[in-house]
Amino acid sequence: MKTKEKLSEDLLELFAEANEEELIVLKQLLAGISQKKHGEKTTYLDGLYNIDIQLKDQECILEIPLSPLLNNPLNIVHGGVIATIIDTAMGTLSNSFLQEFEGAVTTQLNVHYLAQSKGDYLVCKAKCDHKGAKTMVLSAEVYREDGKKVAQASGSFFIVRKQEY
């Protein structure tokens, strides 16, 4: 059986047996793939997490709606998801300062988790603390919708020529 046909069968079976939470997650997964395919999001991750990214005033502001897709077994947002949105905001901002032939890659990321994520969305704000010729240092804070700080972080980035990768 062809891969597409098998996948179609698997999706139909999953859809038929899915509970409400699984349907929400499945809808989010399919929407994310579609957004990436149609150029509405730059990466699959942006699409899957439904990340909204804005660059303004030397800052990256990232917003992510909370959904069951992001939860750990305790049914709260997984710490790795928070680290991912921090790294995404910092990486987006660091790359915005570079020339077309350059890119920034994370060399270190320190995250301090301060409070449980709850509500409808999280906002991450990243700023650049230092930009050198070869490295950058950025910081970020993550807030839930009631304004409570959920996490704070710092990260180091190495500046590379894009053709190296």
Side-chain angles (χ1 to χ4, degrees):
M1 183 179 291
K2 294 182 180 177
T3 304
K4 240 182 191 181
E5 291 171 351
K6 175 67 172 132
L7 182 57
S8 180
E9 281 183 17
D10 291 347
L11 283 171
L12 287 172
E13 183 179 323
L14 180 61
F15 181 73
E17 298 172 359
N19 63 33
E20 188 174 334
E21 182 177 274
E22 292 163 344
L23 289 172
I24 290 168
V25 171
L26 184 58
K27 181 180 179 182
Q28 188 173 350
L29 291 170
L30 293 173
I33 293 168
S34 178
Q35 289 173 335
K36 167 66 167 96
K37 178 182 176 118
H38 295 103
E40 297 168 32
K41 300 290 184 179
T42 56
T43 67
Y44 287 113
L45 188 63
D46 292 349
L48 294 176
Y49 286 179
N50 199 20
I51 295 173
D52 180 46
I53 301 173
Q54 297 178 16
L55 290 168
K56 58 183 178 183
D57 300 327
Q58 305 285 309
E59 184 177 62
C60 180
I61 302 169
L62 181 152
E63 187 172 312
I64 181 172
L66 299 183
S67 77
L69 178 65
L70 310 178
N71 290 348
N72 65 18
L74 299 174
N75 209 29
I76 58 175
V77 177
H78 191 289
V81 170
I82 293 171
T84 299
I85 64 172
I86 289 168
D87 190 47
T88 300
M90 288 181 177
T92 300
L93 183 61
S94 63
N95 280 290
S96 75
F97 295 125
L98 303 177
Q99 298 181 47
E100 276 189 38
F101 62 88
E102 295 177 310
V105 295
T106 310
T107 58
Q108 184 174 354
L109 182 63
N110 299 306
V111 181
H112 300 275
Y113 300 95
L114 307 173
Q116 177 181 342
S117 300
K118 58 183 176 180
D120 291 329
Y121 62 89
L122 294 176
V123 174
C124 179
K125 296 180 179 181
K127 65 179 184 140
C128 183
D129 299 317
H130 168 78
K131 182 188 179 302
K134 299 278 184 195
T135 62
M136 299 174 79
V137 176
L138 289 90
S139 57
E141 296 177 331
V142 179
Y143 298 90
R144 58 190 194 198
E145 69 179 296
D146 66 3
K148 177 116 176 133
K149 190 189 298 186
V150 171
Q152 63 186 40
S154 62
S156 300
F157 292 77
F158 190 68
I159 300 168
V160 297
R161 293 184 68 86
K162 285 187 178 177
Q163 65 233 38
E164 291 178 19
Y165 292 92

